[in-house]
Amino acid sequence: MSEVKQERLQNRLGPEIKEFREACQTLQLATVDANGKPNVSYAPFALLDDGYYVLISQIAKHARNLLENPQVSLMMIEDESASKVLYARKRLTFEADVSVVERKSDRWHQGIAALQTRFGEIVEGLSGLEDFSLFRLAPTQGLFVKGFGQAFQVSGDDLVDFVHLQEGHRRVKDGSEIESAEEKL
């Protein structure tokens, strides 16, 4: 892609991704335990310059999974009630590396402050409990999907590129194929 096209794409989608992320309050988390058994859950998050921060009790299975296997897939997704087409909900997904933030470190205080700003005094209470850990999820590569045929690769620092699909959607050949170009899915 030319630099001009890349810059236009970034200028158009960068703000849209930021706005979408800011409208989301929780992350869907896909974790895996030491035996490879998957689990999906969610957590409220705050975004700082070096990643997404979540405060989770180690009693919760997804926290234990993050400790055992420090890789996660995370997703922010458009609310079902706001979606025009449920099969094509807007979403932002990332693969991310996980680290535990040391309690009482500068990063701990910054992460907890960011969570308190978003979610209020409940964070102060939860962060004072021994079983709660602050995790940093550092995004590596991701995907921003706006709808059918509108998927864009996103780097950990929100640089956007087109996804080049080798195969598109194809209609089953059963005699009821689309006859005109105006017909769409």
Side-chain angles (χ1 to χ4, degrees):
M1 176 184 310
S2 76
E3 283 186 43
V4 172
K5 284 184 179 181
Q6 178 65 40
E7 186 175 339
R8 271 193 247 142
L9 180 66
Q10 187 66 43
N11 290 338
R12 184 171 54 90
L13 288 179
E16 186 176 345
I17 291 169
K18 181 179 179 184
E19 181 182 325
F20 177 70
R21 181 182 24 241
E22 287 173 356
C24 296
Q25 294 188 29
T26 60
L27 297 171
Q28 315 301 311
L29 303 171
T31 62
V32 178
D33 69 16
N35 298 317
K37 189 172 182 180
N39 175 256
V40 66
S41 191
Y42 81 97
F45 76 94
L47 180 64
L48 293 177
D49 60 347
D50 63 343
Y52 296 86
Y53 283 76
V54 295
L55 184 65
I56 309 172
S57 169
Q58 290 184 28
I59 295 170
K61 185 172 185 164
H62 58 289
R64 293 190 315 269
N65 287 354
L66 292 173
L67 293 168
E68 292 175 357
N69 186 349
Q71 298 290 306
V72 66
S73 179
L74 54 93
M75 178 173 66
M76 289 157 271
I77 189 165
E78 178 180 39
D79 189 276
E80 290 177 7
S81 64
S83 178
K84 293 177 184 163
V85 180
L86 288 178
Y87 278 94
R89 287 164 66 191
K90 186 184 293 187
R91 57 201 176 272
L92 179 62
T93 60
F94 282 104
E95 294 174 10
D97 297 323
V98 178
S99 58
V100 177
V101 178
E102 186 179 329
R103 193 175 283 270
K104 306 294 182 191
S105 68
D106 287 343
R107 253 313 156 198
W108 168 273
H109 292 297
Q110 291 169 357
I112 294 300
L115 286 165
Q116 283 178 312
T117 297
R118 286 196 87 188
F119 304 110
E121 61 187 65
I122 189 170
V123 174
E124 184 177 346
L126 296 175
S127 65
L129 300 174
E130 277 186 9
D131 58 295
F132 273 80
S133 293
L134 183 63
F135 294 91
R136 179 176 67 99
L137 314 175
T140 55
Q141 60 183 4
L143 194 65
F144 179 57
V145 178
K146 290 179 57 167
F148 287 119
Q150 298 179 71
F152 304 90
Q153 291 178 336
V154 181
S155 67
D157 53 0
D158 284 355
L159 294 178
V160 181
D161 199 358
F162 284 107
V163 173
H164 299 286
L165 300 174
Q166 298 297 323
E167 295 287 328
H169 299 294
R170 293 181 185 197
R171 197 168 278 289
V172 174
K173 297 202 184 281
D174 63 358
S176 64
E177 290 78 26
I178 293 176
E179 295 296 325
S180 72
E182 290 78 39
E183 293 181 64
K184 296 181 180 179
L185 291 175

